[in-house]
Amino acid sequence: MMNFDFTPEQEMLRQTVRKFVDKEIMPYIKEWDERGEFDRNIFKRLAELNLMGVCIPEEYGGMGMDYNSLAIVCEELERGDTAFRTAVSVHTGLNSLTLLQWGTEEQKQKYLIPQARGEKIGAFGLTEPNAGSDVASIQTTAVRDGDDYILNGQKTWISLSDIADHFLVFAYTDKSKKHRGISAFIVERTMPGFSSRPIKGKLGIRSGNTGELFFDNVRVPKENLLGEEGEGFKIAMSALDNGRFTVAAGAVGLIMACLEASVKYCHERKTFGKEIGRHQLIQQMIARMEAGLQISRLLVYKVGFLKNEGRRCTRETSLAKWIACDYANKAADDAVQIHGAYGYSNEYPVERYLRNSKAPVIYEGTREIHTIMQAEYVLGYRQDKPLRKTLPAWRPAEN
């Protein structure tokens, strides 16, 4: 049976996050964006609202809500700014949910619980200067030395690079096996030999922290190996399923923001003796935004439903990420066009929406990669095989 209604708990969650965004982000985001700075206090406030682990089970410090509740949080945060949705995507989607899926009980106790509570921040280190879509081209290595692994290498375009406490880092333990020789590790910022450096001059998401990670003979205990040796590629791909889900949900929020700003301006601005919303070509752009919003939201919530059921949904997640991010990019472009010359100025937020909308069609799988993936699914060239460990299905709390 299909049910498109939100539960009272989900409605309450949406209102909570919306109020938070209106009070804690909207009044300051223009200044943060201009300065290119990330307000670390946002994490503290999100933690106070229990939003850093909204879909993590209560036994591991989270709220125990369903996966679509995570989508709602990401929607509403990106309505404020992409930077803050990105922070939750990385912390919760890429890191914490991966620990929930692949971590040992000891790793969950040590790392997942404080992350779900917002006491510690998690990040994800996969991309390198010469390895983006081609994951097998990473150069970072991890050599076993007694009870430790010694990591050497570099990661780039890492969100929360200068803020996070824990990083999921992917490195070769056996290069002769190609992608089957990649392993995953939990690295702490305080480990000797670890350092980070910010990346400046970004087109968009300027109020978000992005940078590079460096590993110079970083000694990582064998207990920090996530999964088994050689499972790193599978772990990374399953992590990206969770990350892409949150990115797609955030894109829905960006379309919402574009639509809200555009509708408001359509009623305020008059040309040729009437509100510009009365002009048919403006209506066409508004209609396109609304269609993109509804289509993208349905694709996202379908993924959330499949996650709640405990079913693998790599195919559906790829489609949702591709379509939602494309629609968000188009919505932002139309929003600037509707605002005319004012849309080209930061007097209105739509120029920031347009700048922010570009990155999601590149990271966590470019639109071109997702296009190929969808074609290969349809043609029968690609199939998703069962994983050794799966993301737990959602179970409502018993009263």
Side-chain angles (χ1 to χ4, degrees), residues 51 111 127 213 218 268 281-282 335 342 367:
L51 297 178
Y111 296 107
T127 301
L213 309 180
V218 177
E268 293 173 348
L281 291 180
I282 297 293
Y342 287 109
R367 65 157 63 107

Side-chain angles (χ1 to χ4, degrees), residues 38-45 162-163:
F38 182 86
D39 185 357
R40 297 176 183 231
N41 289 324
I42 291 292
F43 276 132
K44 180 181 178 181
R45 298 181 189 119
D162 301 308
I163 295 171

Side-chain angles (χ1 to χ4, degrees), residues 133-330:
S133 300
D134 183 11
V135 175
S137 292
I138 66 171
Q139 298 298 310
T140 301
T141 59
V143 178
R144 185 70 181 264
D145 182 37
D147 290 335
D148 301 321
Y149 289 88
I150 299 177
L151 268 63
N152 282 284
Q154 175 185 355
K155 302 293 180 180
T156 193
W157 294 110
I158 307 303
S159 297
L160 306 179
S161 60
D162 301 308
I163 295 171
D165 303 288
H166 309 147
F167 299 83
L168 292 187
V169 178
F170 297 84
Y172 269 111
T173 46
D174 188 346
K175 278 196 171 184
S176 68
K177 295 181 179 179
K178 297 185 178 180
H179 72 276
R180 292 184 176 85
I182 297 173
S183 300
F185 300 89
I186 304 169
V187 177
E188 300 176 22
R189 175 177 295 280
T190 55
M191 290 177 173
F194 174 91
S195 61
S196 64
R197 180 175 64 194
I199 293 173
K200 299 293 185 179
K202 296 180 296 181
L203 171 67
I205 320 183
R206 293 175 180 171
S207 55
N209 174 244
T210 311
E212 299 174 284
L213 309 180
F214 301 93
F215 309 94
D216 183 9
N217 291 320
V218 177
R219 190 170 287 274
V220 180
K222 63 178 176 34
E223 291 79 17
N224 283 36
L225 173 69
L226 187 64
E228 299 174 354
E229 273 199 19
E231 278 191 318
F233 184 82
K234 293 179 180 179
I235 293 171
M237 294 304 105
S238 64
L240 287 172
D241 278 353
N242 300 324
R244 288 165 178 170
F245 169 58
T246 62
V247 171
V252 172
L254 185 56
I255 301 170
M256 277 197 305
C258 291
L259 197 52
E260 289 176 12
S262 297
V263 168
K264 183 174 184 292
Y265 190 75
C266 281
H267 290 310
E268 293 173 348
R269 176 73 167 170
K270 291 183 179 181
T271 61
F272 304 101
K274 57 185 176 182
E275 292 182 355
I276 64 170
R278 295 290 185 181
H279 299 302
Q280 289 183 344
L281 291 180
I282 297 293
Q283 292 179 353
Q284 183 182 59
M285 288 186 275
I286 294 293
R288 190 157 53 217
M289 288 187 207
E290 175 65 12
L293 176 66
Q294 299 300 333
I295 291 167
S296 300
R297 181 173 276 160
L298 287 172
L299 289 172
V300 168
Y301 290 163
K302 179 180 179 181
V303 173
F305 166 78
L306 293 172
K307 284 182 173 295
N308 287 341
E309 294 287 305
R311 293 156 60 181
R312 186 173 180 184
C313 48
T314 299
R315 178 176 183 172
E316 293 82 0
T317 303
S318 166
L319 183 62
K321 195 272 183 186
W322 166 33
I323 297 301
C325 292
D326 253 11
Y327 271 123
N329 190 221
K330 292 172 185 174

Side-chain angles (χ1 to χ4, degrees), residues 56-57 59-62 95-117 166 186 223 226 389-392:
I56 302 298
E59 64 185 292
Y60 294 119
N95 190 306
S96 293
L97 286 179
T98 306
L99 289 177
L100 179 64
Q101 180 173 351
W102 293 92
T104 64
E105 186 59 32
E106 292 74 20
Q107 289 170 342
K108 292 174 185 177
Q109 292 294 324
K110 184 175 181 180
Y111 296 107
L112 180 56
I113 289 177
Q115 287 182 191
R117 291 174 177 167
H166 309 147
I186 304 169
E223 291 79 17
L226 187 64
K389 290 194 173 185
T390 58
L391 191 68

Side-chain angles (χ1 to χ4, degrees), residues 23-50:
K23 180 181 178 181
E24 304 285 352
I25 295 177
M26 291 296 199
Y28 313 107
I29 186 57
K30 179 181 176 182
E31 181 181 352
W32 291 339
D33 184 75
E34 289 175 349
R35 292 184 177 181
E37 63 182 37
F38 182 86
D39 185 357
R40 297 176 183 231
N41 289 324
I42 291 292
F43 276 132
K44 180 181 178 181
R45 298 181 189 119
L46 288 171
E48 290 171 352
L49 294 172
N50 297 318

